[in-house]
Amino acid sequence: MSSRIPWRARAGTALLAVLAGIGAFAAPVPAQADSQPESLQSVTYHGYRIEVPAEWQVVDLAENPRACLRFDRPAVYLGEPAEQNDCPAGVVGRSAGIVVEPITARSAGQATAATARTQRGKAIAPTAASSNDTIQIAVEDAGVLVTAAHTPETENLVRGVLASAELTSGAERIALPAAAQRSDATPLAAAGPQPGSYLGKGFDACTAPSQAAMNAWQASSPYSAVGVYISGSFRGCAQPNLTASWVTSQTNNGWRLFPIDVGRQAPCTNYSLKMSTDPATAKSQGVTAAAGAISAASGLGIPAGSAIYSDIEAYTSTASCKASVLSYLSGWTERLHSSGYLSGFYSSAASGIKDAAAEYNNGAYTRVDHLFYAWWNGAADTDTGSYVPSSYWSNHQRIHQYVGEVTESYGGYSINIDRDYLDVGNGSTPTPSCSGANLDFTAYTTVQSGSTGDRVKAAQCLLKAAGFDPGTPDGIFGPDTTAAARNFQSSKGLTADGAVGPKTWTALLSRGSTPTIQNGSTGEAVTRLQRALTAALGRTVAIDGIFGSGTAQAVRDYQSSRGLGADGIVGPATWGALQSGK
């Protein structure tokens, strides 16, 4: 007799209703109305059963363990993936896909704080968090880890599939290892910012290679850098090997990583996930994408100071399309800068890169820090020909993808790759008020002599950026930090007690440029405002770099409580009050 998961939805009519409501599924080209599935198929693994559209491919990894777990076409993958998968380097886009694999020590390494866990009597699938457009559920009663990829357009479809789940008599319980369930565990860390300073050859592949493959290639290949797809709603391949432990191992072994995010594409393409044709909306979408990339990088131990590259595939440029792309990249760059990361941009040299170069000196757009350009001319250099003037992005800020989609083998491990040549370094530095520490907290509690932890490190970094040096930010509130805090407080006319409380936090967090911002604004100034309001009001204001209704209400509340005109617009008077610690 089968044991049903209590939160199971009635699959047949319910799932078809979801499908009918959203169209069949998003694909790299727009879905057609007549492509809606007419039937479902049941798929079972380890006693975990779901119902999926009959059109979805079902891949048994026991029969084909090296199959590429690709999400650019709808599929269900059952079983444990091989450590090395046969993935084409050129997979682009995402529709929907689900991986059901056994809970093992290896698969448990993929679990994060966002991973949901089934509990009897509690609905999971409808409410499980989606991180970077991926929902992950540990179904311990069946001993499986379920990873479901989607786009914004296919999220309801995927949740409908997950809600159809039931257990059969073959289900056997395997608990997720305790270490994987700890949300407070200190993440492993890369050996410094990535890719850091490096001149030489690298490669990128759709999925992170196995440790054995990385070791073999390190020993005998010409490459010492690897591009890794860490995030994005349009990332095409699953990443069964990509964990914080993998990142730490590679960077400790001398590999340089260049992290890549695949998000919304240019509006003048046929891709299913596109940025808006409205520049302001496109910029906001870039902010959102960057926030997801920062979260992914942080979870993998890739620190501030690293560059993250937004992958925008080739497009046929128009004035409108260019404005959307560069607006998206402005939001992308400003949000990365607000957390101390460098921004990179990958595209075809003949489209996106050429457009960025054309507006290099246009102050209406925030310039990216690094270029990563596809020009398959076979030349391992960073010459951009006629696409980009040699004086642009010339301070070790370039990666050239010079050959695409070739298979190479070293030490018995074959991988389909794109070949890259890197000349990278610190390049243009971001312009946040503080870099090298996490500044985003739901509450800015008072820290003082004897305090330790991330908030202390943030306070130290902010004090140093303001010109009051507490020494190296180490998260330990000692005498030097106390002295720096007192000196900063005196400069602002605050009580010089040496403790960083609400007023001092407010002044530190709001420090920087003071543009007029209001509902609809995005970027680094909005992020600083949201942090400062969280400290000043003593309540959580979402820190996402987007000035929405919640931020507007918080501004009005602050203005009212400080005797300012409560118009919800942050101009000189409001900035002045915040930067004075009021």
Side-chain angles (χ1 to χ4, degrees):
M1 180 177 178
S2 68
S3 171
R4 294 192 173 223
I5 298 176
W7 41 265
R8 180 185 186 273
R10 200 65 200 160
T13 57
L15 181 53
L16 284 174
V18 170
L19 295 167
I22 65 172
F25 41 76
V29 295
Q32 302 299 313
D34 61 0
S35 64
Q36 293 178 10
E38 297 180 354
S39 59
L40 303 171
Q41 58 178 322
S42 291
V43 177
T44 304
Y45 178 76
H46 274 209
Y48 174 82
R49 182 161 64 204
I50 51 177
E51 297 192 42
V52 303
E55 293 84 355
W56 284 29
Q57 182 184 15
V58 178
V59 180
D60 186 342
L61 295 176
E63 297 179 358
N64 188 10
R66 285 177 59 91
C68 179
L69 279 58
R70 53 192 297 178
F71 298 139
D72 60 328
R73 53 197 186 196
V76 181
Y77 299 91
L78 306 175
E80 186 170 11
E83 290 193 355
Q84 192 62 32
N85 305 113
D86 293 326
C87 286
V91 173
V92 176
R94 176 183 288 191
S95 55
I98 296 176
V99 181
V100 184
E101 60 187 307
I103 291 176
T104 64
R106 177 186 173 216
S107 65
Q110 302 174 43
T112 69
T115 302
R117 291 163 183 85
T118 55
Q119 300 175 23
R120 285 184 171 85
K122 182 178 180 181
I124 295 293
T127 58
S130 177
S131 177
N132 267 300
D133 290 303
T134 300
I135 301 166
Q136 191 172 75
I137 303 175
V139 186
E140 295 177 309
D141 284 339
V144 297
L145 183 69
V146 181
T147 303
H150 61 83
T151 68
E153 289 75 13
T154 60
E155 181 173 358
N156 286 341
L157 163 64
V158 167
R159 287 190 184 277
V161 171
L162 294 175
S164 75
E166 63 179 353
L167 297 185
T168 72
S169 58
E172 295 184 7
R173 180 176 173 80
I174 300 176
L176 198 66
Q181 300 186 43
R182 287 183 56 202
S183 61
D184 61 340
T186 301
L188 299 172
Q194 301 299 311
S197 297
Y198 174 70
L199 177 67
K201 290 184 176 180
F203 72 93
D204 58 272
C206 193
T207 187
S210 67
Q211 185 64 61
M214 293 298 292
N215 291 343
W217 278 49
Q218 184 183 42
S220 54
S221 82
Y223 307 113
S224 295
V226 57
V228 184
Y229 293 88
I230 67 165
S231 60
S233 301
F234 222 42
R235 182 171 58 165
C237 292
Q239 294 285 6
N241 294 321
L242 184 57
T243 63
S245 177
W246 185 92
V247 166
T248 301
S249 295
Q250 307 330 309
T251 58
N252 283 347
N253 287 343
W255 283 98
R256 306 303 182 96
L257 310 183
F258 43 110
I260 306 167
D261 174 274
V262 191
R264 293 180 180 273
Q265 298 298 300
C268 49
T269 64
N270 287 328
Y271 291 114
S272 62
L273 185 66
K274 295 182 282 191
M275 59 192 72
S276 174
T277 55
D278 173 60
T281 303
K283 184 176 182 180
S284 176
Q285 290 168 338
V287 170
T288 300
I294 292 165
S295 176
S298 177
L300 291 168
I302 299 172
S306 300
I308 308 177
Y309 300 81
S310 176
D311 181 333
I312 298 176
E313 295 292 316
Y315 57 90
T316 303
S317 186
T318 64
S320 173
C321 196
K322 179 170 76 170
S324 290
V325 169
L326 296 185
S327 297
Y328 179 93
L329 289 171
S330 293
W332 165 261
T333 299
E334 290 172 12
R335 182 64 184 92
L336 285 172
H337 283 185
S338 74
S339 291
Y341 286 83
L342 294 160
S343 74
F345 172 35
Y346 169 88
S347 192
S348 164
S351 58
I353 300 300
K354 184 177 179 180
D355 279 352
E359 305 300 332
Y360 184 83
N361 292 311
N362 186 347
Y365 301 112
T366 304
R367 186 190 305 158
V368 298
D369 300 305
H370 285 191
L371 290 188
F372 178 10
Y373 60 99
W375 183 19
W376 294 355
N377 62 356
D381 58 28
T382 53
D383 178 38
T384 46
S386 62
Y387 297 116
V388 181
S390 59
S391 60
Y392 292 0
W393 293 284
S394 58
N395 186 21
H396 309 292
Q397 297 165 268
R398 297 184 175 197
I399 303 176
H400 179 192
Q401 187 183 86
Y402 63 95
V403 173
E405 300 179 27
V406 295
T407 297
E408 296 188 21
S409 182
Y410 299 97
Y413 290 88
S414 296
I415 309 174
N416 188 258
I417 66 168
D418 299 322
R419 296 174 185 160
D420 307 301
Y421 188 81
L422 294 81
D423 181 359
V424 292
N426 291 332
S428 298
T429 55
T431 56
S433 56
C434 178
S435 63
N438 174 37
L439 303 182
D440 297 346
F441 299 98
T442 56
Y444 293 90
T445 53
T446 298
V447 291
Q448 55 194 317
S449 182
S451 299
T452 60
D454 287 344
R455 287 175 177 78
V456 173
K457 188 174 182 180
Q460 292 170 323
C461 192
L462 289 164
L463 286 165
K464 191 166 189 173
F468 300 86
D469 191 0
T472 302
D474 58 5
I476 301 171
F477 206 122
D480 290 343
T481 305
T482 299
R486 283 180 177 148
N487 291 335
F488 175 79
Q489 290 165 333
S490 295
S491 75
K492 296 295 182 182
L494 300 172
T495 301
D497 59 6
V500 180
K503 292 183 178 182
T504 306
W505 273 123
T506 300
L508 284 169
L509 291 163
S510 59
R511 199 184 67 83
S513 61
T514 57
T516 297
I517 53 178
Q518 56 191 304
N519 198 16
S521 298
T522 60
E524 184 266 341
V526 177
T527 302
R528 283 190 288 113
L529 170 69
Q530 292 167 331
R531 292 170 181 152
L533 289 171
T534 296
L537 295 173
R539 72 169 194 254
T540 301
V541 178
I543 301 169
D544 58 8
I546 302 170
F547 199 128
S549 59
T551 301
Q553 184 60 55
V555 169
R556 288 192 292 271
D557 291 345
Y558 176 80
Q559 291 169 328
S560 295
S561 64
R562 269 65 176 180
L564 303 170
D567 58 3
I569 299 172
V570 181
T574 304
W575 278 120
L578 289 165
Q579 294 184 346
S580 297
K582 293 181 179 178

